[in-house]
Amino acid sequence: MKPLRAILGTASASDKIIALSEGDDPRVVEGAVKAVKENVARIILIGDRAEVSALLSAHEGYDPDWIDIHDPATSDLTPGLAQALYERRKHKGLTLDEARQQITNRLTYAAMLVQQDIADGTVGGAVETTSDTVRAALQIIGTGPETAMVSSFFLMLFCQDHHDVKGARIFADCGLVVDPNAQEMAEIARASADSYTTLTGDTARVAMLSFSTSGSAEHPKVSKVVEATQIARAKDPTLLIDGELQFDAAFVPEVAATKATESPLKGEANVFVFPSLNAGNLGYKIAQRIGGVEAIGPVLQGLAKPANDLSRGCSSEDILHMIAVTAVQAQHNDAGT
């Protein structure tokens, strides 16, 4: 788990504040305590103060100064956040009374903490649906200043003994964009390459995946991948990218030597961009469930500030890892501003 330890180490040096919108969930509280014990981040737990306090009381050995509880129903910040939400969304027809009602929603409250720079990032989705979690992030935090779209990825950790090649890979988009066109696929590739370098410190090697390799098949779905590769390369000539490639030609050097002899990736890609959510979601789950690959995500990319989604079946360890990823994203955002 060297890549994961590196991410945890980077997060611990960032001193970021991460808001957890579901602070009344035992897994979330346990993940928060683990994050504090490892100095990964300072934590805001959002929820009913009595319920959250009761859950925290079951844990010992952490610095309580690193965990704060915010109850939207009673917080001194709530009126100001409601006013800021109204100012941000009034052009969409939101009234001040509606903003006062909405700010008591935990996802909305967490997103506003980030939007107002009270927290550096937020993590939710252990209980709430992906659609609600992402909607709050999009409407309140919004996209980055130079971002065309928001997409997602899974950080895939190949760390088992049976993995011939170990280390971190990115699979995108496996959680958000259903059927990207060529322009959108190119944006996912560029964002994923940046995310890979942010999280690992290594150079991204991007494979644009298809059921065809270097013209072995002709189909409009293949043409989309070829066009997307060309668009991404034109927008960033320094990006190491190739496509269209089948997965084996992108992942196995021996296969690349016979099927993709001209590919600059040489079967050593570390970022894999799938042509659809259908393919990406199936691909990461097959790798996770059959291949034993650790999957962290879905991680959102393209937002102005970090906000990430959890699986509703997540464990406290999953939450710890997502807190760390969110803290590293926040650190990267600060470095870019």
Side-chain angles (χ1 to χ4, degrees), residues 17 19 80-89 103 107-122 136-143 304-307:
I17 300 172
L81 292 177
Q83 181 67 39
L85 175 62
Y86 164 67
E87 295 294 340
R88 186 160 181 79
R89 299 287 297 167
I103 200 62
L107 292 174
T108 302
Y109 185 95
M112 282 302 301
L113 288 180
V114 177
Q115 199 276 329
Q116 291 291 296
D117 293 327
I118 298 167
D120 298 295
T122 180
L138 285 171
Q139 290 182 349
I140 295 171
I141 298 173
T143 58
K305 298 174 184 177

Side-chain angles (χ1 to χ4, degrees), residues 160 181 321:
Q160 300 297 325
N181 58 32
H321 300 160

Side-chain angles (χ1 to χ4, degrees), residues 36 86-87 150 153 165 176 195 201 206 236 251 258 266 280 336:
V36 167
Y86 164 67
E87 295 294 340
V150 173
F153 67 88
V165 180
L176 191 58
S195 292
V206 184
D236 183 1
F251 188 71
T258 59
K266 301 185 185 304

Side-chain angles (χ1 to χ4, degrees), residues 161-195:
D161 290 342
H162 65 270
H163 293 145
D164 292 335
V165 180
K166 294 178 171 59
R169 309 285 189 277
I170 274 180
F171 284 13
D173 183 337
C174 305
L176 191 58
V177 184
V178 176
D179 188 19
N181 58 32
Q183 184 72 43
E184 291 169 334
M185 192 175 175
E187 289 301 319
I188 292 169
R190 296 175 64 223
S192 298
D194 185 59
S195 292

Side-chain angles (χ1 to χ4, degrees), residues 139-300:
Q139 290 182 349
I140 295 171
I141 298 173
T143 58
E146 298 180 2
T147 302
M149 63 183 293
V150 173
S151 58
S152 75
F153 67 88
F154 277 82
L155 183 65
M156 309 295 287
L157 303 176
F158 292 74
C159 301
Q160 300 297 325
D161 290 342
H162 65 270
H163 293 145
D164 292 335
V165 180
K166 294 178 171 59
R169 309 285 189 277
I170 274 180
F171 284 13
D173 183 337
C174 305
L176 191 58
V177 184
V178 176
D179 188 19
N181 58 32
Q183 184 72 43
E184 291 169 334
M185 192 175 175
E187 289 301 319
I188 292 169
R190 296 175 64 223
S192 298
D194 185 59
S195 292
Y196 182 84
T197 300
T198 295
L199 293 173
T200 70
D202 296 330
T203 300
R205 302 169 62 86
V206 184
M208 305 292 271
L209 299 179
S210 175
F211 60 84
S212 170
T213 294
S214 303
S216 64
E218 293 185 7
H219 191 277
K221 291 187 180 297
V222 175
S223 300
K224 179 186 81 169
V225 178
V226 173
E227 182 183 357
T229 305
Q230 294 169 344
I231 293 170
R233 189 178 285 135
K235 287 191 173 183
D236 183 1
T238 67
L239 183 62
L240 183 53
I241 185 170
D242 195 26
E244 87 284 14
L245 291 169
Q246 291 165 290
F247 186 86
D248 56 354
F251 188 71
V252 183
E254 293 79 6
V255 175
T258 59
K259 296 175 76 170
T261 56
E262 302 300 319
S263 175
L265 301 179
K266 301 185 185 304
E268 296 178 341
N270 49 34
V271 175
F272 299 87
V273 180
F274 291 81
S276 70
L277 182 61
N278 216 13
N281 194 268
L282 290 168
Y284 104 79
K285 287 185 176 178
I286 290 170
Q288 180 187 39
R289 300 302 179 182
I290 296 179
V293 180
E294 178 84 11
I296 300 174
V299 182
L300 301 182

